[in-house]
Amino acid sequence: KQEVTQIPAALSVPEGENLVLNCSFTDSAIYNLQWFRQDPGKGLTSLLLIQSSQREQTSGRLNASLDKSSGRSTLYIAASQPGDSATYLCAAPNAGGTSYGKLTFGQGTILTVHP
Amino acid sequence: NAGVMQNPRHLVRRRGQEARLRCSPMKGHSHVYWYRQLPEEGLKFMVYLQKENIIDESGMPKERFSAEFPKEGPSILRIQQVVRGDSAAYFCASSPPGESTDTQYFGPGTRLTVL
Protein backbone atom coordinates (compact mmCIF):
# COMPACT_ATOMS: atom_id res chain seq x y z
CA LYS A 1 0.00 0.00 0.00
CA GLN A 2 1.41 3.35 -1.06
CA GLU A 3 1.93 5.98 1.65
CA VAL A 4 2.98 9.54 0.88
CA THR A 5 4.40 11.95 3.45
CA GLN A 6 5.12 15.63 3.00
CA ILE A 7 7.28 17.85 5.15
CA PRO A 8 7.09 20.48 6.36
CA ALA A 9 3.36 20.69 6.99
CA ALA A 10 3.54 24.48 6.81
CA LEU A 11 6.14 26.97 5.71
CA SER A 12 6.20 30.75 5.97
CA VAL A 13 8.90 32.69 4.12
CA PRO A 14 9.60 36.25 3.03
CA GLU A 15 9.24 37.12 -0.61
CA GLY A 16 12.28 36.33 -2.73
CA GLU A 17 13.46 33.28 -0.85
CA ASN A 18 14.25 29.99 -2.55
CA LEU A 19 12.56 27.07 -0.87
CA VAL A 20 12.30 23.29 -0.95
CA LEU A 21 9.25 21.13 -0.27
CA ASN A 22 9.79 17.47 0.47
CA CYS A 23 7.78 14.38 -0.40
CA SER A 24 8.51 10.76 0.46
CA PHE A 25 6.72 7.62 -0.71
CA THR A 26 6.91 4.02 0.45
CA ASP A 27 6.33 2.06 -2.77
CA SER A 28 9.03 2.90 -5.29
CA ALA A 29 7.30 0.96 -8.09
CA ILE A 30 5.81 4.16 -9.47
CA TYR A 31 5.74 5.23 -13.11
CA ASN A 32 5.47 8.93 -12.35
CA LEU A 33 4.98 11.42 -9.55
CA GLN A 34 2.92 14.59 -9.64
CA TRP A 35 3.03 17.88 -7.82
CA PHE A 36 -0.17 19.90 -7.54
CA ARG A 37 -1.12 23.28 -6.20
CA GLN A 38 -4.39 23.94 -4.40
CA ASP A 39 -5.63 27.40 -3.52
CA PRO A 40 -8.10 27.73 -0.62
CA GLY A 41 -11.54 26.49 -1.60
CA LYS A 42 -10.38 25.67 -5.11
CA GLY A 43 -9.51 22.64 -7.20
CA LEU A 44 -6.13 21.15 -8.04
CA THR A 45 -3.74 22.60 -10.56
CA SER A 46 -1.12 20.22 -11.92
CA LEU A 47 2.33 21.80 -11.63
CA LEU A 48 4.79 19.14 -12.69
CA LEU A 49 4.71 15.50 -13.70
CA ILE A 50 7.96 13.55 -13.47
CA GLN A 51 8.13 10.23 -15.26
CA SER A 52 10.02 7.43 -13.51
CA SER A 53 12.70 7.56 -16.18
CA GLN A 54 13.39 11.23 -15.43
CA ARG A 55 15.43 12.68 -12.58
CA GLU A 56 13.85 16.12 -12.70
CA GLN A 57 11.37 18.36 -14.45
CA THR A 58 11.32 22.15 -14.69
CA SER A 59 8.61 24.71 -15.34
CA GLY A 60 9.49 28.36 -14.89
CA ARG A 61 10.59 28.94 -11.30
CA LEU A 62 9.62 25.40 -10.30
CA ASN A 63 11.89 22.39 -10.39
CA ALA A 64 10.89 18.93 -9.20
CA SER A 65 13.28 16.06 -8.69
CA LEU A 66 12.61 12.36 -8.27
CA ASP A 67 14.78 9.71 -6.62
CA LYS A 68 12.90 6.40 -6.82
CA SER A 69 15.57 4.41 -5.01
CA SER A 70 15.27 6.53 -1.89
CA GLY A 71 11.53 7.13 -2.28
CA ARG A 72 11.85 10.90 -2.36
CA SER A 73 10.84 13.87 -4.43
CA THR A 74 11.50 17.55 -3.88
CA LEU A 75 9.83 20.64 -5.27
CA TYR A 76 12.13 23.62 -5.49
CA ILE A 77 10.59 27.08 -5.85
CA ALA A 78 12.98 29.85 -6.82
CA ALA A 79 12.51 33.50 -5.94
CA SER A 80 9.21 32.95 -4.17
CA GLN A 81 6.37 35.46 -4.60
CA PRO A 82 3.23 36.16 -2.55
CA GLY A 83 1.23 34.61 -5.40
CA ASP A 84 2.92 31.29 -4.68
CA SER A 85 1.02 31.06 -1.40
CA ALA A 86 -1.08 27.90 -1.58
CA THR A 87 -1.10 24.27 -0.49
CA TYR A 88 1.30 22.07 -2.44
CA LEU A 89 0.40 18.42 -2.82
CA CYS A 90 2.53 15.50 -3.88
CA ALA A 91 0.81 12.42 -5.37
CA ALA A 92 2.13 8.99 -6.30
CA PRO A 93 0.18 6.50 -8.43
CA ASN A 94 -0.50 2.84 -7.85
CA ALA A 95 1.59 1.00 -10.38
CA GLY A 96 -0.04 -2.38 -10.51
CA GLY A 97 -3.13 -4.52 -10.29
CA THR A 98 -6.66 -3.24 -10.66
CA SER A 99 -5.83 -0.02 -8.86
CA TYR A 100 -3.53 1.14 -11.65
CA GLY A 101 -3.44 4.91 -11.77
CA LYS A 102 -5.08 5.51 -8.41
CA LEU A 103 -3.27 8.41 -6.74
CA THR A 104 -2.17 8.53 -3.13
CA PHE A 105 -1.76 12.10 -1.90
CA GLY A 106 0.39 13.53 0.83
CA GLN A 107 -1.16 15.79 3.43
CA GLY A 108 0.31 18.81 1.72
CA THR A 109 2.58 21.71 2.61
CA ILE A 110 0.82 25.01 3.30
CA LEU A 111 3.09 27.72 1.92
CA THR A 112 2.77 31.38 2.86
CA VAL A 113 5.00 33.91 1.15
CA HIS A 114 4.76 37.32 2.79
CA PRO A 115 5.75 40.57 1.11
CA ASN B 1 -10.91 20.69 -25.52
CA ALA B 2 -12.83 21.46 -22.38
CA GLY B 3 -11.35 20.23 -19.14
CA VAL B 4 -12.97 17.94 -16.62
CA MET B 5 -16.32 19.37 -15.63
CA GLN B 6 -18.12 18.83 -12.39
CA ASN B 7 -21.53 20.00 -11.33
CA PRO B 8 -22.88 21.36 -9.24
CA ARG B 9 -19.94 23.30 -7.84
CA HIS B 10 -21.70 23.74 -4.53
CA LEU B 11 -24.43 21.53 -3.12
CA VAL B 12 -26.34 21.96 0.12
CA ARG B 13 -28.39 19.10 1.49
CA ARG B 14 -30.21 18.42 4.75
CA ARG B 15 -29.50 15.27 6.70
CA GLY B 16 -31.28 12.31 5.17
CA GLN B 17 -31.48 13.71 1.65
CA GLU B 18 -29.68 12.36 -1.39
CA ALA B 19 -26.73 14.02 -3.11
CA ARG B 20 -25.86 13.40 -6.76
CA LEU B 21 -22.53 14.68 -8.02
CA ARG B 22 -21.72 14.67 -11.73
CA CYS B 23 -18.43 14.48 -13.54
CA SER B 24 -17.84 14.81 -17.28
CA PRO B 25 -14.31 13.64 -18.15
CA MET B 26 -12.16 15.25 -20.78
CA LYS B 27 -13.00 14.30 -24.35
CA GLY B 28 -11.51 10.96 -25.23
CA HIS B 29 -10.83 9.99 -21.60
CA SER B 30 -12.33 6.72 -20.45
CA HIS B 31 -10.90 6.47 -16.92
CA VAL B 32 -12.59 8.35 -14.10
CA TYR B 33 -11.42 8.62 -10.50
CA TRP B 34 -13.30 10.15 -7.56
CA TYR B 35 -11.48 11.59 -4.56
CA ARG B 36 -12.79 13.13 -1.36
CA GLN B 37 -11.21 15.88 0.69
CA LEU B 38 -12.64 16.13 4.19
CA PRO B 39 -12.11 19.39 6.12
CA GLU B 40 -8.53 19.64 7.38
CA GLU B 41 -7.64 16.32 5.74
CA GLY B 42 -5.87 15.26 2.60
CA LEU B 43 -7.36 13.95 -0.60
CA LYS B 44 -8.40 10.31 -0.40
CA PHE B 45 -9.17 7.97 -3.26
CA MET B 46 -12.75 6.71 -3.39
CA VAL B 47 -13.42 4.85 -6.63
CA TYR B 48 -11.99 4.17 -10.08
CA LEU B 49 -14.32 3.56 -13.01
CA GLN B 50 -14.12 2.86 -16.68
CA LYS B 51 -17.12 2.98 -18.99
CA GLU B 52 -19.85 0.78 -17.48
CA ASN B 53 -17.38 -0.83 -15.06
CA ILE B 54 -16.28 -0.21 -11.50
CA ILE B 55 -12.62 -1.18 -11.41
CA ASP B 56 -11.70 -0.35 -7.82
CA GLU B 57 -14.07 0.86 -5.11
CA SER B 58 -11.79 0.16 -2.18
CA GLY B 59 -12.04 3.75 -0.95
CA MET B 60 -15.81 3.96 -0.92
CA PRO B 61 -17.68 3.84 2.37
CA LYS B 62 -19.50 0.53 2.61
CA GLU B 63 -22.96 2.05 2.88
CA ARG B 64 -24.87 4.89 1.25
CA PHE B 65 -22.25 5.64 -1.43
CA SER B 66 -22.37 4.42 -5.02
CA ALA B 67 -20.81 5.44 -8.31
CA GLU B 68 -21.44 4.77 -11.95
CA PHE B 69 -19.98 5.70 -15.32
CA PRO B 70 -22.55 4.79 -17.97
CA LYS B 71 -21.86 4.25 -21.64
CA GLU B 72 -23.40 7.63 -22.36
CA GLY B 73 -23.32 10.64 -20.08
CA PRO B 74 -21.34 11.73 -17.06
CA SER B 75 -20.05 9.73 -14.15
CA ILE B 76 -22.30 10.03 -11.10
CA LEU B 77 -21.33 9.80 -7.44
CA ARG B 78 -24.44 9.22 -5.39
CA ILE B 79 -24.71 9.61 -1.64
CA GLN B 80 -27.93 8.45 -0.04
CA GLN B 81 -29.25 9.65 3.33
CA VAL B 82 -26.45 12.17 3.78
CA VAL B 83 -25.03 12.89 7.21
CA ARG B 84 -22.99 15.86 8.42
CA GLY B 85 -19.80 13.84 8.15
CA ASP B 86 -20.30 13.67 4.38
CA SER B 87 -19.60 17.40 4.12
CA ALA B 88 -16.46 17.62 2.01
CA ALA B 89 -15.06 18.55 -1.37
CA TYR B 90 -15.44 15.80 -3.94
CA PHE B 91 -13.05 15.84 -6.86
CA CYS B 92 -13.22 13.91 -10.09
CA ALA B 93 -10.22 13.21 -12.31
CA SER B 94 -9.93 11.61 -15.73
CA SER B 95 -7.17 10.06 -17.80
CA PRO B 96 -6.88 8.62 -21.30
CA PRO B 97 -7.62 4.96 -22.13
CA GLY B 98 -5.02 2.28 -21.69
CA GLU B 99 -2.38 2.03 -19.00
CA SER B 100 -1.32 5.60 -19.53
CA THR B 101 1.49 7.25 -17.67
CA ASP B 102 -0.08 10.61 -18.31
CA THR B 103 -1.22 12.95 -15.64
CA GLN B 104 -4.71 12.79 -14.24
CA TYR B 105 -6.71 15.90 -14.98
CA PHE B 106 -8.81 17.17 -12.11
CA GLY B 107 -12.13 18.94 -12.15
CA PRO B 108 -12.91 21.97 -9.96
CA GLY B 109 -14.70 19.85 -7.39
CA THR B 110 -18.13 19.82 -5.82
CA ARG B 111 -18.36 21.18 -2.31
CA LEU B 112 -21.06 19.36 -0.41
CA THR B 113 -22.46 20.89 2.75
CA VAL B 114 -24.85 18.84 4.86
CA LEU B 115 -26.96 20.87 7.27
Side-chain angles (χ1 to χ4, degrees), chain B residues 75-87:
Chain B
S75 175
I76 306 286
L77 179 67
R78 183 182 177 208
I79 312 172
Q80 294 178 289
Q81 299 175 331
V82 296
V83 301
R84 288 214 173 110
D86 296 334
S87 295

Side-chain angles (χ1 to χ4, degrees), chain A residues 6-13 19 21 38 40 84-89 107-113, chain B residues 40:
Chain A
Q6 290 186 249
I7 53 172
L11 185 61
S12 180
V13 300
L19 52 99
L21 309 182
Q38 186 177 29
D84 295 331
S85 299
T87 297
Y88 290 80
L89 296 164
Q107 290 291 95
T109 294
I110 301 172
L111 173 64
T112 303
V113 181
Chain B
E40 308 304 323

